[in-house]
Amino acid sequence: MTLSPARVPATGVRRLTATLYGYSFLDDFVLLYPVYALLFADTGLSLWQISSLFALWSITGILLEVPSGAWADAVSRRLLLWLGPLLTAVGFGLWVLIPSYGAFAVGFVLWGAGGALGSGALEALVYDELDRLGAADRYARVMGRARAARLVGTTVSAGLAGPVVALGGYPAVGAASVLACLLTAATASRFPEHRVRPENGGDSWATTLRTGLAEVRRDRSVRGALLLIPAVAAVWGALDEYTPLLVRDIGVAEATVPYLILLIWAGVTAGSLLTGPAERLGTRGLAALLAGAALALAVGAAAGTTAGIALVGLAFGGFQLAEVLADVRLQHRIDDSRRATLTSVASLGTELGTVATFGVYALLGADSAHSTVFAVLAVPYLATALVLARARAATARP
């Protein structure tokens, strides 16, 4: 049977999105997620040691983020997408086989490297494949659903983590996490990739990086869209790592912690699914979204109750929605040949902001409760909302 021209793109979009949603779900279907901070604490690590591990994770991303994005533009994005989860699987295996500060550090380096390989490459591959199929206008909706699939993976893993810990302890959740990484790599090998590269191999990754950075310097709109991503993503991405400690401080049992983490991520999932309709939000609407989420974070964290944790989930949902919208703005403004590179530059900014947040958290957490630190770290979002509102007002002036 011969497919009609309309049927061919539709089939291609379905194949791409099915692979993307499966990959996204499995990539975050990691039972260690809701309990690894507890694993570190139960191993005897101090708050400073735990924060240093999170910082090492981010520093690894900082060092590899941009070179890996340029490498993805120079070679194959699909290659990096299946290689990354294999490195992460090795790291998780080390955590549960030889739990110690050194093993945790090596595991975070491998996890950071694996994340850097996929960061930028995934967004670039999806956008270019949709564009090839004449469906680039679906990017926001598709990536919003992909984020939702990730969050479904996170929430399901949070729901399973408690019973699995009760049955087999940390080794059981570690084994399940390694298996999830292997399945993620297998799914990544199914991504379509039709990007045509020159027969001579094209530019080296270093050349790709230089031309990408030149575009950022030259184009103010690209620069603004690029800077917005770390402004939105960095702080709440760091706070996510401390949510089990925040939840435990309200006085719930250890086995209840994963379920309240699930409540938080249910809010984030809802935020992802609103991406399509929310794409119509302008700069002023985005500013209002960030301000509202910041207030929900501060009030919810300070409450010290289950209802307060629900407000934290609502805030995280707002930040997740804003992060996807910021990514959409960037993708619409950059050139195909440097898409992974500039997306990785934005991710580099996020990693730098995340490392700074880990440091601030460790300093504030030495003398303050986790609830207080969460409330204080809502302030950067209020500042970002103010900057966006002022930029919109300046643009509106005659």
Side-chain angles (χ1 to χ4, degrees), residues 39-40 42 66-67 87-88 96 128 131 133 201 274 292 329 341 377 382 384 394 398:
L39 168 63
F40 302 157
D42 291 344
V66 176
L87 296 178
T88 305
V96 293
D128 284 349
D131 191 37
L133 296 167
L274 291 172
R329 289 186 175 206
T341 302
L377 289 174
L382 292 174
T384 301

Side-chain angles (χ1 to χ4, degrees), residues 73 77 128 215 222 330-342:
D73 280 334
R77 294 160 181 173
D128 284 349
E215 181 178 353
V222 171
L330 178 63
Q331 299 303 328
H332 285 333
R333 287 168 169 78
I334 54 181
D335 182 75
D336 292 354
S337 63
R338 294 180 287 277
R339 190 174 303 283
T341 302
L342 294 184

Side-chain angles (χ1 to χ4, degrees), residues 18-331:
T19 304
L20 173 64
Y21 301 154
Y23 174 89
S24 300
F25 174 86
L26 290 168
D27 198 33
D28 272 19
F29 182 61
V30 178
L31 270 63
L32 274 169
Y33 280 178
V35 298
Y36 65 67
L38 305 181
L39 168 63
F40 302 157
D42 291 344
T43 304
L45 272 59
S46 67
L47 179 61
W48 270 103
Q49 287 177 309
I50 294 173
S51 294
S52 71
L53 289 174
F54 295 156
L56 178 63
W57 183 19
S58 291
I59 289 169
T60 302
I62 288 169
L63 295 176
L64 299 179
E65 186 74 53
V66 176
S68 68
W71 187 26
D73 280 334
V75 288
S76 168
R77 294 160 181 173
R78 180 172 56 197
L79 169 66
L80 272 62
L81 289 175
W82 66 255
L83 181 59
L86 298 181
L87 296 178
T88 305
V90 176
F92 288 160
L94 289 174
W95 284 5
V96 293
L97 289 175
I98 44 175
S100 62
Y101 182 84
F104 297 149
V106 173
F108 268 122
V109 169
L110 291 171
W111 192 3
L117 291 179
S119 177
L122 180 65
E123 293 87 349
L125 185 148
V126 172
Y127 191 95
D128 284 349
E129 287 298 315
L130 287 173
D131 191 37
R132 183 184 67 86
L133 296 167
D137 58 331
R138 302 188 195 180
Y139 178 78
R141 183 178 294 105
V142 167
M143 291 306 292
R145 290 175 179 174
R147 297 288 183 102
R150 284 186 177 278
L151 297 169
V152 169
T154 300
T155 54
V156 172
S157 65
L160 293 175
V164 174
V165 167
L167 289 173
Y170 293 123
V173 294
S177 300
V178 169
L179 177 60
C181 291
L182 297 178
L183 292 174
T184 304
T187 303
S189 68
R190 301 294 301 164
F191 272 115
E193 186 175 24
H194 295 86
R195 192 164 56 100
V196 177
R197 292 181 294 277
E199 293 182 1
N200 62 2
D203 294 335
S204 68
W205 72 265
T207 301
T208 302
L209 175 58
R210 284 195 300 272
T211 56
L213 293 176
E215 181 178 353
V216 173
R217 291 192 298 268
R218 182 174 62 251
D219 192 327
R220 182 177 180 180
S221 68
V222 171
R223 185 165 62 251
L226 189 149
L227 291 173
L228 181 60
I229 291 178
V232 171
V235 174
W236 87 274
L239 290 179
D240 168 41
E241 307 305 327
Y242 297 97
T243 50
L245 303 176
L246 175 70
V247 170
R248 186 160 65 175
D249 271 7
I250 70 174
V252 300
E254 294 283 332
T256 307
V257 171
Y259 297 108
L260 290 179
I261 298 299
L262 186 152
L263 177 63
I264 291 174
W265 286 101
V268 181
T269 303
S272 293
L273 292 175
L274 291 172
T275 302
E279 193 176 7
R280 294 189 294 270
L281 285 177
T283 301
R284 184 176 298 168
L286 184 57
L289 173 65
L290 287 174
L295 291 174
L297 176 63
V299 172
T305 64
T306 302
I309 297 301
L311 273 179
V312 172
L314 179 64
F316 277 20
F319 297 143
Q320 171 74 2
L321 174 57
E323 185 178 337
V324 177
L325 294 177
D327 174 55
V328 171
R329 289 186 175 206
L330 178 63
Q331 299 303 328

